[in-house]
Every structure is written in structure tokens, then in C-alpha cells.
């Protein structure tokens, strides 16, 4: 087990006790608020009826998200995703905090995509262009601080 995983995996044990569908629904609720304007303007319509999986490998958590009737929904593992993105917690924090762009993380193989890559690329392009509303700047600063944490074994 790599050093970051050996460090994080035991700390996140309580998180893994919660069913994945609840994780996915909680994340969907947050994203519906943060992306409210983009959803209303139809910027995520390319996801309608499709499902994405996000797997954070070093903590053993998987999210399943999709768009139904103009809202992001969280799902369980009962239906396979159309596209998947996987990587470590630090990589997803860097991406969310906008400290690294997705292309860099994919080319360095720190993030991996499988399934419908065209769908994944549409999502990547949307996220690259998305600017969170001003009222979510405290959240962005929090993500920035979390992305600055150095995990054992990470350079």
C-alpha cells in the first residue's frame, strides 16, 4: 500500500461505513447549489440521463452522479456509470481548488478516465470554464487550504 493510502485509509474508515448512495446524494446536493445558475442555463444538459463515477482510490470512496430533469442526482452502485474518473484525494483537491488543471493531472496519470471518454471530456471542459459564484469563495478558500496539506509520501 503506498504511503498516502496507508496514512489516509484508516482515518477514513468511518466515511466508508456510510453507504455510497448517501455520499453521492450529499455531493449532488452541494453541486446543485454551487452550480445552480449553470444548471438553469442548461450548461450541464450533456449529462442528462448519463452517469459519472468519481472514485477516490486512496480513501476507498466512490461517488455516482448523473443529471435527471435538470438536477444533479446521486446514485448507488446498482447501475454502471457511462464514464469514470479515478485518482487520489490530493489530486481531486488540487483539481477542485484549481491549483492544477485536469489535462496536467491526466497526462501525468495522476487521474484516469475510463468508459465514455467523450462524456468525460465534455465534463472536463465544463469544469475548466466553470466559475463558482462569489458567495462560494469561502468554500473555494477551504478547498485551497486542504489542497495545500502535504500527505506522507507525496512530493
Amino acid at each position: 500500500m503506498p504511503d498516502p493510502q496507508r496514512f489516509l485509509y484508516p482515518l477514513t474508515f468511518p466515511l466508508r461505513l456510510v453507504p455510497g448512495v448517501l455520499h453521492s446524494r450529499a455531493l449532488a446536493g452541494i453541486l446543485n447549489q454551487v452550480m445552480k445558475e449553470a444548471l438553469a442555463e442548461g450548461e450541464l444538459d450533456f449529462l442528462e440521463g448519463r452517469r459519472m463515477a468519481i472514485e477516490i482510490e486512496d480513501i476507498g470512496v466512490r461517488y455516482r452522479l448523473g443529471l435527471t430533469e435538470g438536477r444533479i442526482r446521486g446514485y448507488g452502485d446498482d447501475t454502471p456509470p457511462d464514464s469514470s474518473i479515478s485518482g487520489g484525494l490530493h489530486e481531486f483537491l488540487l483539481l477542485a481548488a484549481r491549483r492544477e488543471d485536469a489535462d496536467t493531472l491526466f497526462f501525468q496519470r495522476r487521474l484516469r478516465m475510463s468508459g465514455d471518454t467523450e462524456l468525460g471530456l465534455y465534463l472536463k471542459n465544463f469544469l475548466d470554464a466553470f466559475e463558482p459564484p462569489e458567495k462560494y469563495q469561502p468554500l473555494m478558500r477551504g478547498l485551497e487550504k486542504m489542497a495545500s496539506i502535504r500527505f506522507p509520501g507525496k512530493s
Side-chain angles (χ1 to χ4, degrees), residues 93 97 99 139-150:
L93 286 171
R99 290 193 46 201
L139 173 64
M140 296 307 293
R141 285 191 295 276
L143 288 170
E144 175 69 32
K145 287 180 183 180
M146 290 172 64
S148 297
I149 295 172
R150 291 285 172 216

Side-chain angles (χ1 to χ4, degrees), residues 52-118:
M52 294 284 308
I54 301 168
E55 185 169 353
I56 306 175
E57 297 167 333
D58 51 2
I59 63 172
V61 174
R62 180 183 303 138
Y63 299 95
R64 300 260 177 136
L65 302 168
L67 190 73
T68 304
E69 298 175 0
R71 292 196 45 84
I72 299 170
R73 310 270 186 212
Y75 298 96
D77 291 337
D78 54 336
T79 304
D82 297 295
S83 185
S84 298
I85 298 173
S86 59
L89 176 62
H90 191 241
E91 284 68 35
F92 281 108
L93 286 171
L94 290 170
L95 188 63
R98 298 177 173 264
R99 290 193 46 201
E100 292 275 359
D101 66 27
D103 289 334
T104 300
L105 295 170
F106 282 112
F107 286 127
Q108 293 175 350
R109 297 187 179 178
R110 294 166 61 192
L111 287 179
R112 288 162 305 289
M113 187 181 303
S114 62
D116 184 344
T117 54
E118 184 177 1

Side-chain angles (χ1 to χ4, degrees), residues 120-142:
L121 289 174
Y122 274 118
L123 183 60
K124 180 200 82 65
N125 291 336
F126 165 78
L127 293 173
D128 285 345
F130 178 73
E131 287 295 328
E134 184 64 33
K135 68 181 180 179
Y136 293 106
Q137 288 310 306
L139 173 64
M140 296 307 293
R141 285 191 295 276

